[in-house]
């Protein structure tokens, strides 16, 4: 990993994000979306065969396939999934919003209703790895919100099968429909609908660059949660940090994909060498060594700072997806953290706890977007509707003022809408 020092290196170099190797797939994705819009199911079958090299008999996952998956997955994993479900539900139920009504003595009633979205599409990535944890994290908040139909899209393996663990998680979470469609064509199917796949109101879930680009292109036709880029972790460490644990946490992030970013910000120069040694040793033992090594070499950073205040300042400017405070007094720093998707406090709270089990959502803002995006939550699956009621007397009390406002904006029809009521005699 490249080592930087805030005393020696320009801040621009320290904060730089280099994803110059990320290809532009806009033209390819635009063509895929248009094919799905025009030809529906036929385009999906063709695209799955062209892109995924799989010939499917059906787009939908059958109940028999789900039952078979539940028999294949180990009882131990099913139990862990159920425990994770309970933790996720317990955390996200605290996010539920209530509507309100305000009644004024003057004859005015105002309020806000909280309504669930009707249909949501959940994209679950496949490709280099299968993520049943994403199923639980993305589906359960939608269930709490009261979404009426949850449709899941996920690519298959080379045999045309969805990994058993993903189907088991979908069953546990309560997904209504599952389709064997991934990539940009899966996003397009959710956004516009086909003969088989229903059009949804919102698409959530991470994916590769084709999925992210497709989500960006269909936004407006449907809502989306966020544009997920390469995953990242930033670890702030002091002299109490364990170099072996730090290295393990950096590699846990790096093994996601070659564009993943793992950053260590530390006050301890002696820790840097120890972490580097641990990284080399642990990399040699990692099954996804090639991916993790590429991520570490291309995007990994170690930043030496003068104190923890500067460490948090650097972190706030990077705005990491995951922030680990591997320090003696993590809660002393928490109040100073302004930009982070999720914060993991202390030496015994590695980021992977949040990935799978703890309860807070693991669908988080990436690439510095924690400055303005939030983790996926129940709020992502609701809409708010306001309402308003005036009595005749209450309307008459404010009519002249509203007319003046409308006339100032040269909208005489607006003014007349009030005036005809005010002039009406009963």
């Amino acid at each position: 990993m490249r080592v930087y020092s805030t005393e020696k290196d320009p801040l621009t170099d320290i904060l730089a994000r280099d994803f110059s190797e990320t290809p532009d797939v806009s033209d390819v994705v635009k063509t895929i979306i248009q094919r799905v819009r025009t030809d529906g199911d036929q385009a999906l079958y063709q695209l799955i065969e062209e892109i995924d090299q799989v010939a499917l008999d059906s787009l939908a996952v059958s109940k028999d396939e789900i039952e078979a998956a539940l028999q294949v997955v180990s009882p131990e994993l099913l139990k862990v999934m159920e425990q994770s479900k309970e933790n996720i539900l317990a955390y996200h139920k605290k996010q539920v919003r209530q509507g309100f009504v305000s009644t004024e003595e003057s004859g005015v009633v105002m309020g806000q209703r909280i309504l669930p979205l009707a249909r949501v599409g959940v994209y679950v990535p496949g490709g280099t790895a299968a993520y049943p944890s994403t199923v639980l994290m993305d589906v359960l908040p939608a269930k709490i919100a009261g979404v009426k139909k949850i449709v899941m899209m996920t690519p298959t393996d080379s045999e045309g099968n969805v990994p058993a663990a993903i189907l088991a998680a979908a069953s546990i979470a309560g997904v209504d429909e599952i389709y064997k469609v991934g990539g940009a064509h899966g996003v397009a199917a959710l956004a516009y609908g086909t003969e088989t796949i229903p059009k949804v109101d919102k698409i959530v879930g991470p994916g590769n660059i084709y999925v992210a680009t497709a989500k960006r292109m269909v936004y407006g036709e449907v809502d989306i949660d966020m544009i997920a880029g390469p995953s990242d972790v930033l670890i702030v460490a002091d002299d109490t940090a364990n170099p072996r644990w730090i290295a393990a946490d950096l590699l846990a992030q790096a093994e996601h994909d070659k564009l993943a970013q793992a950053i260590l910000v530390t006050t301890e120069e002696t820790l840097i060498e120890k972490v580097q040694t641990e990284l080399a040793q642990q990399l040699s033992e990692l099954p996804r060594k090639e991916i993790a090594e590429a991520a570490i070499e291309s995007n990994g950073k170690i930043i030496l700072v003068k104190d923890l205040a500067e460490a948090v300042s650097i972190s706030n400017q990077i705005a990491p997806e995951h922030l680990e405070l591997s320090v003696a007094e993590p809660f002393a720093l928490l109040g100073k953290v302004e930009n982070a998707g999720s914060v993991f406090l202390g030496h015994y709270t590695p980021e992977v706890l949040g990935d799978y089990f703890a309860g807070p959502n693991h669908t988080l803002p990436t690439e510095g977007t924690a400055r303005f995006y939030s983790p996926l939550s129940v709020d992502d699956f609701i809409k708010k509707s306001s309402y308003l009621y005036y009595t005749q007397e209450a309307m008459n009390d404010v009519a002249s003022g509203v007319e003046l406002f409308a006339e100032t904006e040269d909208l005489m029809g607006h003014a007349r809408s009030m005036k005809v009521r005010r002039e009406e005699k009963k």
Side-chain angles (χ1 to χ4, degrees):
M1 293 176 74
R2 289 169 291 178
V3 179
Y4 298 84
S5 169
T6 55
E7 292 185 354
K8 300 176 182 178
D9 298 300
L11 188 61
T12 52
D13 290 350
I14 292 172
L15 300 178
R17 294 174 182 269
D18 183 14
F19 296 121
S20 57
E21 296 182 6
T22 304
D24 181 0
V25 299
S26 299
D27 290 342
V28 174
V29 171
K30 185 177 181 180
T31 299
I32 290 171
I33 291 173
Q34 189 57 49
R35 286 178 63 181
V36 174
R37 291 189 69 177
T38 303
D39 296 326
D41 283 355
Q42 180 183 350
L44 291 179
Y45 282 112
Q46 291 172 346
L47 287 163
I48 291 168
E49 193 161 353
E50 293 169 16
I51 298 171
D52 304 319
Q53 303 294 301
V54 176
L56 295 179
D57 295 325
S58 172
L59 297 174
V61 172
S62 68
K63 291 182 179 179
D64 288 343
E65 288 175 285
I66 296 172
E67 287 300 319
L70 290 169
Q71 298 303 314
V72 170
V73 175
S74 71
E76 292 81 8
L77 179 56
L78 291 175
K79 181 179 179 181
V80 171
M81 285 185 182
E82 290 285 1
Q83 291 172 331
S84 177
K85 172 184 175 179
E86 293 307 311
N87 292 341
I88 294 166
L89 288 174
Y91 181 87
H92 287 80
K93 282 178 179 177
K94 294 179 174 65
Q95 299 174 338
V96 173
R97 291 174 178 256
Q98 301 296 326
F100 64 85
V101 59
S102 172
T103 303
E104 307 290 338
E105 290 185 3
S106 59
V108 177
V109 178
M110 295 180 288
Q112 179 175 273
R113 299 174 68 206
I114 305 296
L115 304 166
L117 300 182
R119 291 187 288 200
V120 166
V122 174
Y123 187 91
V124 179
T128 59
Y131 299 109
S133 57
T134 296
V135 180
L136 300 178
M137 292 289 181
D138 289 3
V139 172
L140 293 174
K143 299 292 285 189
I144 292 171
V147 173
K148 298 176 179 65
K149 177 176 282 191
I150 299 174
V151 181
M152 191 176 97
M153 307 293 273
T154 189
T156 69
D157 60 21
S158 59
E159 302 298 319
N161 300 312
V162 177
I166 285 183
L167 293 183
S171 177
I172 289 170
V175 174
D176 296 301
E177 299 176 12
I178 307 171
Y179 296 97
K180 302 176 181 181
V181 191
H185 37 306
V187 173
L190 288 171
Y192 298 101
T194 71
E195 298 90 331
T196 299
I197 297 169
K199 173 182 170 61
V200 301
D201 302 310
K202 185 166 188 171
I203 302 172
V204 305
N208 62 19
I209 188 170
Y210 293 92
V211 171
T213 302
K215 285 174 69 177
R216 183 181 285 110
M217 287 185 174
V218 301
Y219 175 65
E221 182 69 31
V222 293
D223 192 16
I224 61 172
D225 52 348
M226 63 186 80
I227 304 296
S231 191
D232 63 79
V233 67
L234 187 149
I235 303 174
V236 173
D238 64 9
D239 60 348
T240 65
N242 185 316
R244 187 182 183 198
W245 299 358
I246 296 295
D249 292 356
L250 293 169
L251 290 176
Q253 200 63 41
E255 72 173 351
H256 272 293
D257 65 61
K258 294 180 179 181
L259 292 177
Q261 187 169 44
I263 302 172
L264 170 61
V265 182
T266 181
T267 56
E268 305 303 311
E269 196 164 1
T270 57
L271 183 66
I272 294 174
E273 185 176 346
K274 293 176 182 178
V275 169
Q276 295 274 43
T277 300
E278 282 290 340
L279 283 170
Q281 181 177 334
Q282 293 184 36
L283 260 174
S284 66
E285 303 165 355
L286 207 61
R288 292 168 67 87
K289 174 185 175 181
E290 182 183 350
I291 293 173
E293 190 170 38
I296 288 292
E297 290 180 356
S298 299
N299 306 308
K301 293 181 181 181
I302 298 178
I303 304 169
L304 181 65
V305 294
K306 63 178 182 292
D307 54 34
L308 290 177
E310 186 175 48
V312 175
S313 175
I314 291 290
S315 176
N316 281 333
Q317 293 175 79
I318 293 174
E321 178 186 9
H322 309 96
L323 171 60
E324 289 190 13
L325 297 178
S326 188
V327 298
E329 299 293 338
F331 284 96
L333 298 183
L334 180 59
K336 300 173 184 177
V337 174
E338 297 174 357
N339 302 319
S342 191
V343 185
F344 303 83
L345 299 156
H347 301 307
Y348 301 98
T349 317
E351 181 267 325
V352 294
L353 273 173
D355 278 345
Y356 298 113
F357 192 77
N361 210 283
H362 82 189
T363 300
L364 303 168
T366 61
E367 296 187 285
T369 58
R371 292 179 295 110
F372 48 84
Y373 271 128
S374 304
L376 193 75
S377 72
V378 173
D379 285 347
D380 284 287
F381 301 101
I382 62 169
K383 57 186 177 182
K384 308 178 190 77
S385 177
S386 60
Y387 59 91
L388 181 64
Y389 168 80
Y390 272 61
T391 63
Q392 182 181 17
E393 292 77 12
M395 183 209 70
N396 285 334
D397 287 344
V398 300
S400 60
V402 174
E403 289 171 34
L404 177 60
F405 221 141
E407 290 165 357
T408 300
E409 295 186 349
D410 201 26
L411 295 173
M412 306 312 293
H414 283 60
R416 185 180 300 111
S417 176
M418 292 297 297
K419 191 172 183 179
V420 295
R421 286 173 169 78
R422 184 163 57 89
E423 294 176 344
E424 186 77 21
K425 302 297 182 182
K426 289 191 176 181

